[in-house]
Amino acid sequence: GEPTTAASTFEDSVVVVERRPLSSSPDTGVHSDDKDMDEMEWQEVQEKEKDDDAWDDDDDDDDDEEDPTTSGSFLGKTLAKATIDAIAEQNTKLQSPLAAIAVAFHASLRSDCLGFSCTGVPEDPSTLKGGFAPPVRELPKTQFLPPAWDVHPQRLALRYRKAGTGAMILTVDLGGGGGANGDDDESQTVTVRWQAASSKEDPPSQTLSFLLGDHINLDSWNAALKTSPTVSPALHYKSLAVLLSNFCRTFDLGTIHEAAMEEPSQASIPTTNDNTTTHNNNNNNN
């Protein structure tokens, strides 16, 4: 009897404690669900940063694009190159900055882009003998300018024609400020007209005006005149592409699109933000 009772008492006093397996790392208080949430939030932050970078890249690309209102349209740049090439090829030298402006338009009109042929200088009705004008002939390709085209320093006029367009007259006038080669040229206004030879409209419905100093470097021009009676204009143009873009836009002479350059059509070219102005005299009269 007695040992058996002692053994039973001992067995009743044994307390079994279940041990948990020891973790290889201390408990940080962060459960797996919390870790998953943190990882998802971090991924979202990374994606947002990538999106922000993408927007920044797009902004940089926009900044790199040229503004046609300050650099000229594609057509204007093409015509500017054609103008400089023609002046160099013909070794053209001029006496006045107004003549340089007229030559820029002249070379552009005769270029392959616009396709006009020059037919000389418009006749002065007061000088016609017997009331009959002499026959109109195109200048040969080897002749860049007609004779005696710049005898009037304040007003230059040239005549052109093109299939489907008829005879046209380009007039470039200088007004205000000093003389044709004076110190006050910077403030002088150039007015450009382009109209049908048969038109009786005076003034024409569209004109283009700008300051002479906007497109000719008058300091370098006048300095060159001190060493020679004539000047090659190619080195003295300013914003030539912008000037020719405005010329084409004002008189509907071409398109700004590169794909359409082989056969120019009437289209609008963005206006510039210089002192160039287009006048619609029909609207002004209303």
Side-chain angles (χ1 to χ4, degrees):
E2 193 83 19
T4 303
T5 302
S8 298
T9 302
F10 178 78
E11 288 176 1
D12 292 341
S13 64
V14 173
V15 178
V16 179
V17 179
E18 181 181 357
R19 294 185 60 191
R20 292 186 178 182
L22 294 176
S23 174
S24 59
S25 60
D27 186 3
T28 61
V30 179
H31 301 288
S32 60
D33 291 342
D34 294 335
K35 291 182 179 180
D36 292 341
M37 289 294 293
D38 290 342
E39 291 178 0
M40 290 176 64
E41 291 176 358
W42 174 244
Q43 290 175 356
E44 289 176 358
V45 171
Q46 288 182 317
E47 291 296 328
K48 184 177 183 303
E49 290 177 349
K50 290 180 180 179
D51 291 341
D52 291 341
D53 291 341
W55 280 108
D56 291 340
D57 292 341
D58 290 341
D59 292 340
D60 293 340
D61 293 340
D62 292 340
D63 293 338
D64 293 340
E65 292 180 1
E66 291 185 354
D67 184 355
T69 64
T70 57
S71 62
S73 65
F74 177 83
L75 177 57
K77 293 176 182 178
T78 303
L79 292 177
K81 182 179 185 305
T83 295
I84 298 302
D85 290 345
I87 290 172
E89 181 180 350
Q90 300 293 330
N91 193 26
T92 303
K93 294 187 176 182
L94 307 168
Q95 293 181 324
S96 73
L98 183 68
I101 294 292
V103 162
F105 297 139
H106 172 74
S108 298
L109 290 166
R110 291 193 65 187
S111 68
D112 293 337
C113 294
L114 299 184
F116 283 88
S117 299
C118 181
T119 57
V121 178
E123 298 85 7
D124 184 350
S126 63
T127 62
L128 297 180
K129 297 179 179 179
F132 294 98
V136 175
R137 294 185 176 88
E138 295 181 4
L139 295 184
K141 293 292 185 182
T142 55
Q143 184 178 352
F144 186 51
L145 289 161
W149 72 279
D150 57 349
V151 294
H152 302 292
Q154 300 292 114
R155 182 182 178 89
L156 303 173
L158 292 163
R159 184 179 55 209
Y160 303 85
R161 70 181 176 191
K162 179 181 179 180
T165 302
M168 302 292 295
I169 294 179
L170 170 72
T171 306
V172 183
D173 290 300
L174 187 65
N181 292 300
D183 294 335
D184 294 332
D185 281 350
E186 190 92 24
S187 62
Q188 289 185 308
T189 299
V190 178
T191 301
V192 182
R193 297 175 176 85
W194 173 257
Q195 62 187 133
S198 59
S199 175
K200 304 299 182 182
E201 189 179 20
D202 188 22
S205 59
Q206 294 286 340
T207 60
L208 176 67
S209 298
F210 52 88
L211 297 180
L212 182 61
D214 285 345
H215 297 293
I216 297 292
N217 186 329
L218 295 171
D219 290 336
S220 64
W221 182 278
N222 292 327
L225 280 179
K226 293 179 180 179
T227 60
S228 176
T230 57
V231 175
S232 176
L235 298 177
H236 306 282
Y237 286 117
K238 293 165 55 179
S239 303
L240 182 58
V242 173
L243 173 64
L244 298 178
S245 294
N246 269 341
F247 178 64
C248 292
R249 176 194 57 81
T250 301
F251 301 113
D252 293 330
L253 290 175
T255 174
I256 64 172
H257 300 299
E258 182 174 357
M261 285 298 295
E262 295 181 359
E263 186 176 349
S265 60
Q266 292 186 350
S268 294
I269 296 178
T271 187
T272 66
N273 60 357
D274 61 7
N275 292 320
T276 304
T277 57
T278 300
H279 300 288
N280 188 324
N281 293 317
N282 284 340
N283 293 338
N284 292 339
N285 293 333
N286 291 336

